[in-house]
Amino acid sequence: MDIKEFNDDLLAFLTASCTPFHAVEQITQRLDVAGFTALREADEWQLGAGRYYVVRNGSSIVAFNVSDKDPVSSGFRMIGAHTDSPCLKVKPQPELQGEGYFQLGVEVYGGALLNPWFDRDLSLAGRVNFKDKSGAVCSALINFIKPIATVPSLAIHLDREANKNRTVNPQTDIPPLLMLDAADPVNFRELLLAQLLLEHPVCAAVQVLDYELSFYDTQAAALIGLNEDFIASARLDNLLSCYIGLQALIADDSQNSVLVCNDHEEVGSTSAVGANGPMLKSVLQRILVSDKDLSRSMDQSMIISADNAHGLHPNFADRHDGNHGPRLNAGPVIKMNANQRYATNSDTSSLFKHWCDVAGEPVQSFVVRTDLGCGSTIGPITASELGVKTLDIGVPTFAMHSIRELAGSCDGYSLYRVFQQFLAATDVGVKAV
């Protein structure tokens, strides 16, 4: 896969992956084409050498290669990322009708940068649970695709301090506007039922029971810049890492290797499908059979937590430590924090630098300014759950948690090449002398 093919498919993946459910759907489609076998957690597994994946809740996935090497003695090469991004989620009773308009009440998911959500062409997607004609409770994904909503800004004439001191009240300022008010009260579930039958005409749905729906920006992912130096897209944090890890896993099956893409990272990872839940450990135990084997295997294993890094913003360079300002298209970033907000240590960072050297790719480092707080990732969580060597890295990005983020158009492919070296590595240990 060359960089053009990589970026073309990446753009398609980002545009189609408008919710975690749709992201996992896109991942499974690519795994199926690559010859991976879908497993169900409820079934007994008979795992010979081969390629497999398992999905939980439709929003988290673990895909893995079982090689001819004994995983107890050779360990696993693992890559972790997350499928969720900050967004606006529709409330259970969302109908808002007044002043001649129909709006939907929303809840902010994760640490969203709210101002960029104004004046965008928004659509709606996610999972709908319904009852069919037989009385069975079913679920299906829907995606309105076309722009059906917007959050209009207040004109500056009505807020003269808007460019100096405008704040966003998430309860009152951001309910999206969908249409003029109808003569009769609008039932949102009836609107969903119509969309469900439009997208899935054979589903025989008769009643919408519940849903998990998110608004998203309809502008497609794109290469931008005078020389197409940048990728602009929603949800780069962290679907970019999911895609890079996916392509690396597909490209190499020489070792026992794993890709885990968890939901709920943006809200703390504590769920049945989050990194602080049992999913990854459960899959590894089923590959290895016994807890004793898991402990032995983890000693020979390593996981790379891939989550975007803060690039040095040319307009706000003072927000970075002077010696640790990653630049776009200058290579993947090793993320370090003395207080274990990132799980990198000198062993794991040295190994990553070695694989960058072998791949012929540059590498950068990020440490947050000492007078600023530091975010975190699934890295420390997974390290504490499994007791495995862990590294935190990411592709440098601008506008993280905005409705549209920016990354370098070369950095994703660069990290893909380094991941190939990692997944093919015969040893992930550092020799003590």
Side-chain angles (χ1 to χ4, degrees):
M1 177 180 278
D2 63 19
I3 189 169
K4 184 181 185 308
E5 183 183 359
F6 180 92
N7 279 339
D8 286 347
D9 190 53
L10 169 62
L11 296 178
F13 173 81
L14 291 168
T15 300
S17 301
C18 48
T19 73
F21 304 113
H22 289 83
V24 169
E25 182 180 59
Q26 288 292 310
I27 292 170
T28 60
Q29 288 175 5
R30 287 162 174 78
L31 291 172
D32 289 339
V33 170
F36 283 69
T37 299
L39 301 172
R40 289 188 346 119
E41 289 190 275
D43 296 339
E44 227 179 290
W45 295 356
Q46 301 294 330
L47 301 178
R51 320 185 86 179
Y52 308 91
Y53 69 86
V54 60
V55 173
R56 185 180 287 187
N57 187 51
S59 62
S60 291
I61 184 168
V62 179
F64 55 97
N65 289 313
V66 177
S67 75
D68 57 1
K69 298 177 175 62
D70 178 11
V72 175
S73 57
S74 64
F76 292 92
R77 317 292 175 259
M78 296 183 284
I79 296 169
H82 64 88
T83 59
D84 60 323
S85 303
C87 62
L88 305 182
K89 289 199 168 187
V90 181
K91 290 181 176 179
Q93 303 295 333
E95 296 91 346
L96 300 173
Q97 293 181 255
E99 310 301 335
Y101 301 98
F102 176 71
Q103 298 171 273
L104 290 178
V106 292
E107 191 174 8
V108 178
Y109 176 87
L113 192 61
L114 289 177
N115 277 298
W117 279 83
F118 288 86
D119 308 314
R120 307 293 297 188
D121 298 339
L122 304 178
S123 193
L124 190 64
R127 181 170 67 185
V128 176
N129 296 84
F130 60 93
K131 187 181 295 186
D132 70 10
K133 288 180 180 178
S134 72
V137 176
C138 311
S139 71
L141 302 188
I142 66 167
N143 183 0
F144 282 81
I145 299 178
K146 68 179 183 179
I148 64 167
T150 189
V151 183
S153 290
L154 180 65
I156 195 168
H157 314 75
L158 305 178
D159 182 3
R160 292 294 182 179
E161 299 298 307
N163 290 328
K164 297 180 181 178
N165 192 33
R166 174 173 283 182
T167 59
V168 179
N169 184 315
Q171 174 67 19
T172 60
D173 295 349
I174 61 170
L177 172 66
L178 276 76
M179 63 181 179
L180 294 174
D181 202 354
D184 298 319
V186 178
N187 186 313
F188 180 57
R189 281 173 167 76
E190 290 181 359
L191 294 177
L192 292 182
L193 181 60
Q195 182 66 23
L196 186 64
L197 292 170
L198 178 67
E199 294 189 40
H200 306 278
V202 299
C203 73
V206 295
Q207 180 189 3
V208 170
L209 299 172
D210 218 331
Y211 51 79
E212 294 176 63
L213 297 171
S214 306
F215 283 100
Y216 70 93
D217 184 7
T218 58
Q219 185 175 4
L223 290 175
I224 70 164
L226 195 60
N227 298 313
E228 295 190 337
D229 288 329
F230 312 112
I231 292 175
S233 177
R235 304 172 298 278
L236 286 176
D237 176 22
N238 188 31
L239 294 184
L240 178 55
S241 300
C242 292
Y243 181 82
I244 298 167
L246 170 66
Q247 294 302 335
L249 184 76
I250 289 172
D252 190 282
D253 62 356
S254 60
Q255 302 291 330
N256 298 300
S257 51
V258 179
L259 171 68
V260 54
C261 298
N262 289 114
D263 197 0
H264 299 150
E265 189 275 344
E266 297 293 359
V267 292
S269 293
T270 302
S271 72
V273 296
N276 203 27
M279 186 177 181
L280 175 58
K281 187 174 183 179
S282 172
V283 171
L284 293 174
Q285 285 174 327
R286 295 185 71 170
I287 298 171
L288 290 162
V289 180
S290 80
D291 288 343
K292 182 174 68 174
D293 287 345
L294 178 64
S295 179
R296 293 173 63 196
S297 176
M298 288 303 97
D299 186 61
Q300 306 299 317
S301 301
M302 179 173 166
I303 186 166
I304 296 180
S305 165
D307 203 345
N308 300 31
H310 295 293
L312 178 68
H313 196 305
N315 299 341
F316 302 94
D318 62 338
R319 297 304 177 96
H320 279 75
D321 181 278
N323 292 332
H324 302 91
R327 285 170 169 78
L328 273 59
N329 286 331
V333 179
I334 298 172
K335 299 158 70 172
M336 302 181 181
N337 181 262
N339 296 298
Q340 287 296 295
R341 299 295 288 170
Y342 305 132
T344 304
N345 62 29
S346 61
D347 280 353
T348 57
S349 65
S350 297
L351 287 166
F352 189 75
K353 289 176 181 178
H354 165 67
W355 293 318
C356 288
D357 285 343
V358 175
E361 298 292 343
V363 62
Q364 308 180 79
S365 296
F366 172 77
V367 178
V368 73
R369 280 180 59 114
T370 308
D371 55 358
L372 293 177
C374 183
S376 193
T377 70
I378 67 170
I381 295 170
T382 307
S384 62
E385 285 290 314
L386 295 177
V388 65
K389 293 186 291 293
T390 306
L391 171 74
D392 270 292
I393 57 92
V395 169
T397 308
F398 292 156
M400 200 180 296
H401 288 199
S402 176
I403 195 170
R404 195 163 177 85
E405 300 164 325
L406 196 73
S409 57
C410 297
D411 286 327
Y413 188 73
S414 176
L415 182 55
Y416 160 71
R417 284 170 43 81
V418 180
F419 275 171
Q420 285 182 288
Q421 296 298 321
F422 165 58
L423 294 182
T426 57
D427 187 10
V428 292
V430 174
K431 182 180 178 180
V433 296

